């Protein structure tokens, strides 16, 4: 059973599918599951492999798994096997503790373009936990050693296929702005940014507007990209964009920490 779980974990990782791993860490009294018993739970809350107990114990573990997948944080839950209302529905005479850990793929960043800004973006994004796919006819693997993948045979950017939750940064030096943005806006990408001047961004968005994209869709485009750091150098511009990506990913507000009141107990 453990081997099956490990194999399935590898398959889910290769497919970039999120899941939660539940492990029984302690049993007090009687239980159908034993310490170290494990189960994998998918995004629907279904236990796809393993065993951590029957009855409502599975329901409680699945519910906790869904919460962990939403927050990205692990948790330890206690299940009262004596409680037929909230617990396992079968008075076994004990309790169990289960550690639930979300396993989330690294967020995928689509980098459209080349040049020093994109190179710095790829490097910085890699350091903060993103996997970058660089797509540009002039992109080479030696210029993007930290990239997850480099695509250089896609002059029409047709391989840009963002999935739900992906990040997209377009820095094609105006050559592929329209094509890339069109594909990005047709996706469920979480973050879409255009590296350009305000004047150029206005022209691109106006063309998309004339093509029938609604204002609610165009409002998803962050142009110019990044936070206001007063950036001038390519590396500084890349830092401002990655900072905005982290803010979106972690649901921060972008305010200086020195101006945020500490949480009170």
């Amino acid at each position: 059973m453990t081997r099956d779980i490990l194999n399935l974990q590898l398959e889910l990782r290769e497919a970039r599918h999120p899941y939660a791993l539940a492990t029984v860490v302690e049993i007090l009294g009687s239980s159908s599951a034993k310490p170290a018993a494990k189960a994998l739970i998918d995004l629907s809350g279904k236990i796809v492999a393993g065993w951590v107990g029957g009855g409502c114990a599975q329901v409680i573990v699945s519910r906790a798994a869904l919460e962990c997948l939403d927050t990205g944080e692990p948790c330890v839950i206690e299940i009262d096997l004596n409680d037929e209302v909230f617990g396992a529905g079968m008075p076994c005479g004990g309790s169990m503790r289960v550690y639930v850990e979300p396993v989330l793929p690294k967020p995928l960043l689509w980098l459209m373009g080349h040049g020093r800004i994109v190179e710095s973006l790829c490097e910085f994004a890699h350091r903060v936990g993103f996997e970058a796919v660089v797509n540009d006819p002039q992109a080479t693997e030696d210029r993007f050693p930290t990239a997850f993948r480099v695509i250089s045979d896609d002059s029409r950017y047709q391989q840009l296929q963002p999935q739900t939750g992906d990040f997209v940064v377009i820095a094609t030096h105006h050559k592929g702005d329209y094509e890339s943005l069109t594909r990005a806006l047709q996706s469920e990408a979480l973050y879409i940014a255009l590296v350009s001047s305000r004047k150029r961004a206005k022209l691109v968005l106006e063309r998309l507007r004339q093509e029938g994209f609604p204002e609610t869709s165009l409002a998803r485009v962050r142009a110019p990209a990044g936070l206001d750091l007063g950036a001038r150098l390519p590396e500084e511009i890349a830092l401002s964009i990655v900072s905005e990506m982290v803010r979106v990913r972690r649901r921060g507000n972008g305010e200086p920490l020195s101006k945020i009141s500490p949480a009170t107990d």
Side-chain angles (χ1 to χ4, degrees):
M1 182 66 72
T2 300
R3 184 177 181 180
D4 291 341
I5 288 179
L6 290 175
N7 289 338
L8 183 55
Q9 283 182 277
L10 291 174
E11 292 175 11
L12 292 171
R13 178 181 178 182
E14 287 296 321
R16 296 182 52 81
H17 290 164
Y19 65 91
L21 175 65
T23 305
V24 177
V25 295
E26 184 179 22
I27 293 290
L28 296 177
S30 176
S31 171
S32 55
K34 303 303 178 184
K38 302 179 186 297
L40 295 185
I41 301 96
D42 65 14
L43 273 177
S44 69
K46 178 183 178 182
I47 294 180
V48 295
W51 170 261
V52 288
C56 292
Q58 290 190 9
V59 176
I60 297 171
V61 171
S62 294
R63 186 186 306 143
L66 290 177
E67 292 177 358
C68 289
L69 287 169
D70 180 57
T71 63
E73 299 294 334
C75 72
V76 176
I77 59 174
E78 297 189 8
I79 303 175
D80 184 357
L81 301 177
N82 289 305
D83 189 343
E84 295 190 12
V85 177
F86 179 74
M90 48 184 180
C92 298
S95 63
M96 62 189 296
R97 301 176 72 225
V98 181
Y99 176 66
V100 183
E101 177 185 10
V103 182
L104 304 171
K106 293 182 179 180
L108 196 62
L109 166 63
W110 295 83
L111 286 173
M112 317 303 293
H114 68 283
R116 188 56 192 155
I117 292 178
V118 181
E119 292 171 7
S120 299
L121 271 169
C122 188
E123 179 183 352
F124 294 164
H126 172 74
R127 290 182 177 274
V128 295
F130 288 81
E131 288 186 334
V133 175
V134 181
N135 187 337
D136 190 85
Q138 298 187 49
T140 58
E141 292 186 358
D142 62 306
R143 301 299 298 179
F144 297 95
T146 62
F148 174 68
R149 181 184 175 196
V150 175
I151 302 173
S152 58
D153 59 348
D154 185 28
S155 60
R156 298 292 298 275
Y157 304 101
Q158 295 181 353
Q159 294 186 51
L160 171 60
Q161 298 177 353
Q163 303 300 310
T164 301
D166 285 359
F167 289 64
V168 181
V169 177
I170 298 167
T172 56
H173 301 290
H174 317 324
K175 298 177 182 179
D177 292 353
Y178 174 74
E179 292 81 1
S180 297
L181 270 178
T182 298
R183 297 188 68 85
L185 288 174
Q186 292 171 343
S187 74
E188 296 297 324
L190 176 62
Y191 176 93
I192 302 173
L194 176 64
V195 181
S196 72
S197 65
R198 293 185 184 275
K199 180 179 180 180
R200 173 61 185 174
K202 184 177 180 179
L203 292 174
V204 173
L205 293 176
E206 181 57 33
R207 180 178 174 183
L208 291 170
R209 186 177 291 108
Q210 293 175 359
E211 291 291 334
F213 281 92
E215 293 300 326
T216 54
S217 182
L218 297 179
R220 298 171 58 199
V221 181
R222 299 168 185 269
L227 301 179
D228 184 6
L229 303 182
R232 295 185 179 181
L233 300 176
E235 294 82 1
E236 294 174 340
I237 295 172
L239 177 61
S240 75
I241 297 171
V242 170
S243 297
E244 185 175 49
M245 288 164 48
V246 171
R247 184 185 67 81
V248 170
R249 180 188 180 191
R250 300 302 186 188
R251 304 175 185 178
N253 56 28
E255 292 292 328
L257 292 176
S258 62
K259 293 186 178 181
I260 299 177
S261 301
T264 58
D265 295 332

